[in-house]
Amino acid sequence: MAWKKISSKRIIHIKKIEPLVDRESCIYKWYSFTNIIKSNFSNISMKILLPHLCEEYFDFFSNIIKLISIAYTIPVSSVECEHGFSKQNLIKTKCRNLLTASSLDLCMRAGLEGPDSKVFDFQKAWLIWKNEKKRDLEKFLFRFIYIYM
């Protein structure tokens, strides 16, 4: 634990954070780890290899596997983020600017993760929605035609 003086009157307490991995252990075991990977798993994709490493080798190579797991979760590009913002801009327009956060989230999930509109059964979705509770269908149809047509 340490104390840091920010100004002449203000002092804050700084908590020292322990490292996630032991650097010396990583350096010491790296050569044997790479030899095992090269000799046994050179043709396996990381998607299959990482769970196998966690199951079989975590006890001996725990620090290296932690580092690989961290590196594997870091996105290598911003494509997914840009895709999400693009979808949000298509959904939240001037006509639909009062969507709540939960409604926007549901619309975005349907747009990003849902089936393609070419294979989606709109008739079945309409029947489920219509039968769920009493609705003002004329108002809905007017809105639907105004937004999508």
Side-chain angles (χ1 to χ4, degrees), residues 50-135:
L50 192 56
H52 180 71
L53 290 175
C54 290
E55 288 175 17
E56 300 295 325
Y57 295 97
F58 191 79
D59 293 336
F60 190 70
F61 298 117
S62 61
N63 290 302
I64 295 172
I65 293 172
K66 282 181 196 175
L67 283 176
I68 292 170
S69 299
I70 291 168
Y72 191 65
T73 59
I74 298 171
V76 293
S77 73
S78 62
V79 171
E80 289 294 323
C81 183
E82 291 172 14
H83 191 178
F85 277 111
S86 175
K87 186 59 71 175
Q88 174 185 303
N89 292 339
L90 291 172
I91 293 168
K92 195 166 185 174
T93 62
K94 287 181 182 179
C95 297
R96 297 170 74 186
N97 62 358
L98 296 177
L99 284 172
T100 63
S102 61
S103 296
L104 179 61
D105 179 57
L106 290 172
C107 291
M108 286 184 63
R109 285 180 193 270
L112 292 169
E113 300 169 8
D116 189 11
S117 61
K118 294 174 184 164
V119 296
F120 185 76
D121 188 358
F122 286 96
Q123 184 68 29
K124 183 178 177 184
W126 164 260
L127 290 173
I128 291 170
W129 180 83
K130 184 178 99 174
N131 295 328
E132 190 175 303
K133 62 182 179 179
K134 185 172 171 45
R135 303 196 185 268

Side-chain angles (χ1 to χ4, degrees), residues 2-4 12-13 15-16 18 26-27 32-34 38 42 48 50 79 89-90 94 99 101 109 121 134 137 148:
W3 298 89
K4 184 176 182 181
I12 60 169
H13 179 261
K15 183 179 178 184
K16 185 177 179 183
E18 295 297 320
C26 288
I27 293 170
S32 57
F33 177 77
T34 55
K38 287 176 186 174
S42 61
I48 296 168
L50 192 56
V79 171
N89 292 339
L90 291 172
K94 287 181 182 179
L99 284 172
R109 285 180 193 270
D121 188 358
K134 185 172 171 45
L137 296 179
Y148 293 104

Side-chain angles (χ1 to χ4, degrees), residues 25-38:
S25 175
C26 288
I27 293 170
Y28 179 73
K29 294 180 179 180
W30 181 253
Y31 182 72
S32 57
F33 177 77
T34 55
N35 282 339
I36 289 172
I37 298 299
K38 287 176 186 174

